[in-house]
Amino acid sequence: MRRSAPVTTGATILAWALAMACGPTSFVDDLAPDGLEAYDTAPAPPSDPALAVVRRALPAWGLSTSEHDPQIAAFLEVHARSWRFWERIYAVLPAYRAVAADLRAAQLPELLAAVPDQASRFRPGPDPDCGAGPWRLPVSAPLRVAGCHLRGDPRPWSSGDPRPVVEGGACRIERCDVDERTDLAAATAAVLPALAATHRAVDGDPRRTLAAHARGDPDAAIAQHLLAACAARQVDPGAFPAIDLGYCDDLAVPSRRQVTSALAR
C-alpha cells in the first residue's frame, strides 16, 4: 500500500520540516550517539507549529493537553531534527514494536513502550545499580539470574546469594551465564503486572502511569514515543493499528535509508 506523502504546506507544518523538504542541511548531528544529551538538557521553548503537532498527536495516545505540552514539544523538536536520534530509533524498532504489541495485548497503553527505550535504549546493561535488560530490572526481579561473575570474587553468584553486587556505587557483576532480565519477552512479561497495577491505581491515566515508571523525564519519553511511532509507520503503515498517526504527516520523518546515507558522509 502506498503511503501518502508528508504534508508540505499549511499552518501546522514545522519550519524545520519544510527546510528538510528542501534538503538535509536542517538536520544536524547534535546528539550524543545514544541520544542522551537532549534528554538531560532542557531544550529551548518550542515553536508554535511544534506545539500544534504535539497537541494533535496526544489524543491519539490517550493523553489530554496540559501544561506539559510545551516541554513535550520542545523535546520533540530537538530530537526530530537529529540524524543520530533517528538512527537509534530505527535500530531499536523491532524491540520497540514487540513491547508495544505486548502492552496492546495486555490492554495497557502502547505509550509505555517508551519506558524501556528511555531506560536502556534496549541494551542489556548492567547499570551501576546492577539493573539490567531492556526494563533495567533489579537482581531481585522474579526472573532467573545465575552463574554471575563478580569483580574481585571467583565464586559464582546467583539471585538469592547474600553477597552484595553493588559496591562503591558500581555494579560488581561482569557477566552472567543466565540472565532472563535481558530476554525482551520474559522481562516485559515480568513487568506487566506492575504496570497494570499502577494503571489501575491512577484511574487509567497513561501519563501518570508512564511518570511512575519512567527512569528519566516523562515529557521527553512522550516526545520520543511520538517520533518512534512515526518511524515505525515508515517501515510498516500498520505498526500501530489502533492509533491515528496522522500527525506524522506534519513531520519530516526521514527514512532509514536517508538516515544511513546522511551519517555515512
Side-chain angles (χ1 to χ4, degrees):
M1 181 176 70
R2 183 178 179 180
R3 296 189 293 274
S4 58
V7 176
T8 55
T9 60
T12 60
I13 188 84
L14 301 182
W16 41 262
L18 183 58
M20 176 58 189
C22 301
T25 55
S26 67
F27 273 49
V28 295
D29 185 10
D30 63 346
L31 300 187
D34 60 4
L36 285 173
E37 286 180 8
Y39 284 115
D40 293 341
T41 305
S47 66
D48 288 341
L51 187 57
V53 170
V54 165
R55 287 177 172 163
R56 179 184 177 188
L58 294 180
W61 299 100
L63 299 170
S64 301
T65 59
S66 72
E67 69 276 7
H68 294 273
D69 296 356
Q71 184 78 346
I72 296 170
F75 277 116
L76 181 141
E77 197 159 25
V78 73
H79 281 77
R81 64 191 293 269
S82 168
W83 290 119
R84 285 290 179 193
F85 172 77
W86 291 113
E87 178 189 43
R88 186 183 68 72
I89 285 298
Y90 278 115
V92 302
L93 266 186
Y96 203 106
R97 291 181 60 187
V99 171
D102 287 344
L103 290 164
R104 184 165 61 245
Q107 298 184 316
L108 288 167
E110 294 168 80
L111 173 71
L112 299 178
V115 173
D117 182 64
Q118 188 185 56
S120 68
R121 307 307 193 253
F122 291 98
R123 296 170 182 163
D127 280 350
D129 63 359
C130 284
W135 294 88
R136 286 302 186 258
L137 297 177
V139 293
S140 58
L143 293 168
R144 190 176 176 221
V145 182
C148 298
H149 301 258
L150 301 183
R151 185 177 61 255
D153 191 335
R155 297 169 297 167
W157 183 96
S158 298
S159 52
D161 189 318
R163 283 175 292 162
V165 294
V166 177
E167 190 173 77
C171 181
R172 297 176 62 206
I173 296 177
E174 296 180 334
R175 68 183 187 280
C176 295
D177 296 336
V178 178
D179 191 344
E180 293 181 343
R181 299 175 300 164
T182 63
D183 181 284
L184 181 63
T188 301
V191 302
L192 286 177
L195 294 175
T198 300
H199 199 52
R200 289 191 300 269
V202 298
D203 299 321
D205 185 328
R207 186 191 301 275
R208 292 170 65 192
T209 305
L210 173 64
H213 292 273
R215 288 174 62 108
D217 190 318
D219 293 335
I222 292 171
Q224 176 261 343
H225 177 78
L226 298 181
L227 294 173
C230 294
R233 192 182 75 156
Q234 282 272 4
V235 175
D236 176 8
F240 291 90
I243 306 297
D244 178 6
L245 297 179
Y247 69 89
C248 298
D249 292 334
D250 292 340
L251 298 169
V253 180
S255 67
R256 188 196 301 265
R257 184 174 180 178
Q258 285 177 305
V259 173
T260 301
S261 177
L263 292 175
R265 295 191 185 101

